[in-house]
Every structure is written in structure tokens, then in C-alpha cells.
Amino acid sequence: VFGDASVVQVLWLRVFDRGGGLAYEGRGLSPNDDAQGWDGTIDGKAAQPGTYVYVLRLLLADGTEEGMEGEVVLAR
């Protein structure tokens, strides 16, 4: 998850497949660190190309929390 200086931490991130199954869940992630977060695998195996839905909760520098959701396309 990438953001500006106002994003202190990704409290949690969940990625779901087309069927609504949980593909990834991470907690306490550092923003702007491409070594953290979903790596495109499910149970250690390459996930199928396609559209995945993400839902996340951010901790901001002013102490508030913000939720976001959207889609990411996985292409191989």
C-alpha cells in the first residue's frame, strides 16, 4: 500500500478473489514498502490472473483511521 506522509500504518489489508474467498490478510503493515503486502500468491501458489477486491484500514498521522476499498488486476 502506497500513500503520502499522512499514512502512518496499514492497520489491516484484506484481498478477496472473485468468489469472495480471502486471498490475503495482513496486519500492521508499513506503508510504501513493496516488500510488505500481498505478493500475488494464495496459500504459497501463484494466484490466477484476474480482478481482486481489497479492503483496508489506515492509521493517519493525525491519529484518525480511514477505510478504503477497491480493485486490483493481477496480470501474469
Side-chain angles (χ1 to χ4, degrees):
V1 176
F2 293 90
D4 61 23
S6 68
V7 180
V8 174
Q9 185 177 47
V10 180
L11 297 173
W12 54 263
L13 165 65
R14 294 183 187 113
V15 178
F16 299 92
D17 63 22
R18 266 204 253 195
L22 184 63
Y24 171 82
E25 182 172 26
R27 295 181 176 276
L29 305 173
S30 298
N32 304 314
D33 182 349
D34 59 3
Q36 294 189 24
W38 187 44
D39 64 1
T41 63
I42 299 174
D43 296 327
K45 298 177 185 173
Q48 291 295 313
T51 302
Y52 292 79
V53 174
Y54 67 84
V55 181
L56 59 84
R57 190 90 181 154
L58 303 172
L59 174 63
L60 304 178
D62 64 5
T64 61
E65 295 181 12
E66 183 176 330
M68 298 178 74
E69 59 185 51
E71 296 178 343
V72 61
V73 176
L74 178 64
R76 297 213 180 269

